[in-house]
Amino acid sequence: MEDSIDYLDGTVALVTGASSGIGAATARTLAAAGASVALAARRTDRLYVLEERIESDGGEALSIPTDVTDEAAIEEMVEKTTATFGRLDALVNSAGVMLLAPVARADPNDWRRMVGVNLLGTMNATRAALPALREGDGGHVVALSSDATKDPGASFGAYAATKAGVAAFSESLRAEVADDGVRVTLLEPGATDTELPEHVPDEETKADVEALVESMRTLESEDVAAAIRYALAQPPHVNVEELVVRPTDAG
Ligand code: NDP
């Protein structure tokens, strides 16, 4: 059997949300497997630290400060990636925010932001990347949805709605691009130890989420990154369509 890492070696991956959590771990993991990685997010300082770390580990990385709610910046993000590395093989849409609150207390601006980053950010980055992905030997889009779409608890409704949108968009995209050899993987992680809950605006909901996280051994970002690497490292005829990765403790 061929070593699956061979399929990543020499490829080019663009990772949004690369400044922390799952995106940062994915960028490190893919770089260690031989991919050149473009790192996109807003916190430039974090991107440069990660870029340096990847390069000192012998990998190749490029920081591209990007706000995924800015359509022009997204186009530029893809252009800089292909101009620097000459191609684009994989887009990992990890940029996301989780601004939980019960509907009655929710701020519509937080809803707008979640739709803007989680759903439209993923859709626009995918649209911008598709021409380059189609040009290569078989492009790949990875979309971060969530296990929250399957059984959203109280206060998770708006967040889960954006992630259900990501799932529907990805399923439809797969049917559109399969003839071009482009694969689409929908990843639905469960609770993962990242900065994501830090931004929950509703104090009561934030306390509930923190208590839930403390009640179990959550996933680490590296666990989710390993699943993404698995999907990306398959031979071109194998499409890992959907991966649900949850903490064992979640039951
Ligand atoms: P983090 O908060 O650690 O990472 C979120 C990333 O999104 C950061 O790099 C942040 O960078 C980036 N981001 C936020 N807003 C924007 C924006 N406007 N433009 C560009 N980048 C942006 O959380 P996670 O790593 O956990 O989240 C990664 C993905 O995984 C998200 O889509 C999340 O919904 C999903 N997920 C997470 C789970 C978990 O339990 N942690 C479970 C299921 C899914 P910056 O602020 O620098 O822009």
Side-chain angles (χ1 to χ4, degrees):
M1 204 166 158
E2 290 175 78
D3 182 350
S4 60
I5 289 177
D6 285 347
Y7 290 104
L8 272 169
D9 199 16
T11 62
V12 176
L14 166 56
V15 182
T16 72
S19 60
S20 64
I22 293 167
T26 300
R28 285 196 305 272
T29 300
L30 299 183
S36 301
V37 284
L39 315 170
R42 294 165 307 167
R43 286 171 294 175
T44 313
D45 49 339
R46 298 271 200 112
L47 295 182
Y48 288 124
V49 169
L50 179 59
E51 179 183 320
E52 260 181 49
R53 182 173 164 186
I54 288 172
E55 287 180 345
S56 70
D57 288 342
E60 198 170 23
L62 171 73
S63 299
I64 310 178
T66 307
D67 183 333
V68 298
T69 63
D70 179 339
E71 288 166 35
I74 284 179
E75 297 285 345
E76 231 175 89
M77 167 183 87
V78 173
E79 277 163 23
K80 278 187 185 152
T81 304
T82 53
T84 303
F85 295 127
R87 55 191 280 168
L88 178 62
D89 301 291
L91 168 69
V92 180
N93 285 299
S94 194
V97 286
M98 185 176 77
L99 308 173
L100 308 178
V103 173
R105 288 203 294 270
D107 180 343
N109 289 319
D110 288 343
W111 285 359
R112 206 169 290 119
R113 199 166 140 224
M114 282 196 289
V115 171
V117 177
N118 302 359
L119 183 53
L120 288 174
T122 295
M123 290 164 61
N124 282 317
T126 302
R127 186 183 51 79
L130 263 187
L133 292 172
R134 281 185 154 123
E135 268 175 28
D137 306 328
H140 204 136
V141 177
V142 177
L144 266 291
S145 180
S146 167
D147 74 341
T149 60
K150 303 196 182 298
D151 182 19
S155 303
F156 273 78
Y159 173 73
T162 66
K163 292 300 184 177
V166 167
F169 176 77
S170 303
E171 301 295 347
S172 168
L173 178 72
R174 188 178 301 118
E176 263 182 51
V177 297
D179 285 350
D180 301 320
V182 176
R183 291 172 284 172
V184 180
T185 298
L186 183 69
L187 195 71
E188 293 146 305
T192 309
D193 185 17
T194 70
E195 296 170 20
L196 197 69
E198 287 175 20
H199 311 291
V200 172
D202 185 72
E203 287 306 323
E204 206 177 305
T205 307
K206 191 175 184 180
D208 288 347
V209 171
E210 282 166 358
L212 180 76
V213 164
E214 276 163 27
S215 73
M216 67 169 84
R217 167 98 202 259
T218 58
L219 301 175
E220 304 295 332
S221 294
E222 287 72 18
D223 300 323
V224 182
I228 293 173
R229 186 185 106 161
Y230 169 78
L232 291 178
Q234 298 307 308
H237 68 288
V238 178
N239 193 0
V240 179
E241 296 191 353
E242 190 175 357
L243 280 170
V244 184
V245 185
R246 304 178 73 226
T248 306
D249 285 349

